[in-house]
Amino acid sequence: MALQRPADLSGAADEVLALQAATLSDDAAYETLVRRHARRTLSMLRRFTRDPALAEELCQETFLRAWQKLPSFQGQGSFGGWLAAVAYNVFLQHRRRHAARDRVTDSLDGPDAGAGLADRQSSNGADTGAAELDRLLAVVSEDERVVLTLSYGAGLSATEIGAMLGVAPGTVKSQIHRAKDKIRRAFDIEAET
Amino acid sequence: MTGHDPVDTLLTRAFAADAAAGPPDRFAERVMARIRRRRRLRVVVLSAALGIGIAVTAAASASAIVEFGRWLGTLRLDGAVLDVAAALPAASASTWPAAFPAAAALLLGLLGWFVCLDEESGAL
């Protein structure tokens, strides 16, 4: 993995940029990584938190934490997968800190609450993509939402998700399957033939 | 997890549309600004630790020198060589308790400073 000159950064692989940022304290390399992964990371955290402002705050924290932990990124696996794990840990830490408040929030959750959020966003003309996703994820459990987000949102494999959550890949696959079944039933979607 | 399952398609499309919203303006710049601030703060904290270490060591050293001088003075004034055995532990007892934490503080400060410098130069 040859290190890149600043002019080449936009085309450099994530792993090269991460190595460059870690070994040379290259801010430009890290900024390129932030630009490249901010969209997906923020989307993922929006799904976890269901609070856009909090998601943005945690997204910043994720990139800050990732910068501190960069030397531990050995280039095994994708940078995106590693960053998703950092983001998930930041989210978990936040949730633990605010456990009491989250319990209250969770009690308000459920299909109706999620649908309400989606309806509000739609009626306000807000992002319809977010609204549709809110509607879909409102019918699955918290664990299933996390797994679906890591799978479809972050593009991680069942093995990567399993390693991150400390469960077997088979468990991840069955959680995804169960979640998809719930969505299928809730929205009356015909199963594949 | 690709394939022709309609739920798959729905989820893939919904996640893609959600991600299209993107981060707010100047998000990357704000992240980098926080990183630089954190870096500067670390330098300030470690410098302060080093400064305190040096100050404590200097104060303890001065105290130790004064104690040592006093002990020498006692020896010379009394001219009692036999008192050395009694005076030495007394001098040590007053000097070492102050010198140990001071030396430890200085070492920790120096260590922190070198760690900080190493990190700044990307050596860690």
Side-chain angles (χ1 to χ4, degrees):
Chain A
M1 281 200 282
L3 298 185
Q4 307 282 314
R5 287 207 301 271
D8 302 323
L9 288 180
S10 60
D14 287 348
E15 290 70 29
V16 174
L17 291 174
L19 181 70
Q20 191 157 332
T23 56
L24 304 176
S25 288
D26 186 342
D27 283 357
Y30 193 66
E31 191 168 344
T32 308
L33 283 172
V34 174
R35 286 182 195 285
R36 212 175 269 180
H37 291 274
R39 192 178 288 258
R40 181 176 273 192
T41 309
L42 185 58
S43 163
M44 201 171 81
L45 286 164
R46 269 202 305 259
R47 291 303 117 216
F48 289 159
T49 61
R50 283 182 283 181
D51 176 347
L54 175 62
E56 193 195 325
E57 190 188 316
L58 294 187
C59 191
Q60 284 199 21
E61 187 59 36
T62 297
F63 282 108
L64 209 64
R65 191 82 58 84
W67 167 72
Q68 288 168 330
K69 288 173 173 276
L70 261 186
S72 72
F73 175 63
Q74 303 292 321
Q76 295 158 337
S78 69
F79 177 79
W82 179 78
L83 188 65
V86 174
Y88 182 64
N89 283 329
V90 166
F91 163 69
L92 279 186
Q93 216 165 40
H94 171 83
R95 198 173 62 172
R96 273 196 289 269
R97 274 203 305 263
H98 298 81
R101 196 186 67 185
D102 279 2
R103 269 197 295 278
V104 175
T105 310
D106 283 348
S107 70
L108 297 173
D109 287 344
D112 292 342
L117 175 63
D119 290 346
R120 278 198 302 278
Q121 285 180 332
S122 298
S123 63
N124 291 339
D127 179 20
T128 51
E132 187 183 6
L133 198 51
D134 277 333
R135 211 158 47 87
L136 293 174
L137 297 183
V139 300
V140 302
S141 71
E142 172 130 8
D143 287 348
E144 289 161 353
R145 191 175 75 232
V146 166
V147 168
L148 284 181
T149 302
L150 291 171
S151 173
Y152 289 89
L156 302 184
S157 69
T159 311
E160 286 175 306
I161 297 169
M164 191 187 295
L165 304 182
V167 296
T171 310
V172 173
K173 282 178 188 166
S174 66
Q175 275 183 320
I176 290 174
H177 186 75
R178 209 167 37 237
K180 280 161 62 177
D181 266 352
K182 282 184 185 173
I183 291 172
R184 191 173 287 120
R185 279 199 304 274
F187 296 96
D188 203 18
I189 299 167
E190 285 181 23
E192 60 185 319
T193 50
Chain B
M1 278 160 261
T2 51
H4 301 292
D5 183 352
V7 178
D8 250 342
T9 313
L10 201 61
L11 282 169
T12 307
R13 200 184 59 200
F15 270 106
D18 183 53
D25 288 343
R26 305 183 59 78
F27 178 81
E29 284 85 346
R30 271 185 283 153
V31 169
M32 295 314 292
R34 275 187 73 178
I35 286 175
R36 288 187 197 104
R37 266 204 306 277
R38 180 88 45 113
R39 206 184 263 161
R40 274 198 299 271
L41 181 69
R42 194 154 51 183
V43 172
V44 168
V45 168
L46 291 173
S47 299
L50 180 64
I52 290 168
I54 290 173
V56 171
T57 306
S61 301
S63 158
I65 289 167
V66 167
E67 285 297 326
F68 188 65
R70 202 173 285 163
W71 175 66
L72 280 179
T74 310
L75 274 185
R76 195 169 48 246
L77 284 175
D78 292 352
V81 178
L82 286 176
D83 279 352
V84 169
L88 196 57
S92 300
S94 61
T95 304
W96 288 112
F100 268 127
L106 179 63
L107 279 175
L108 280 177
L110 278 171
L111 187 66
W113 180 248
F114 284 126
V115 166
C116 175
L117 284 182
D118 270 357
E119 230 166 79
E120 286 304 292
S121 65
L124 283 182

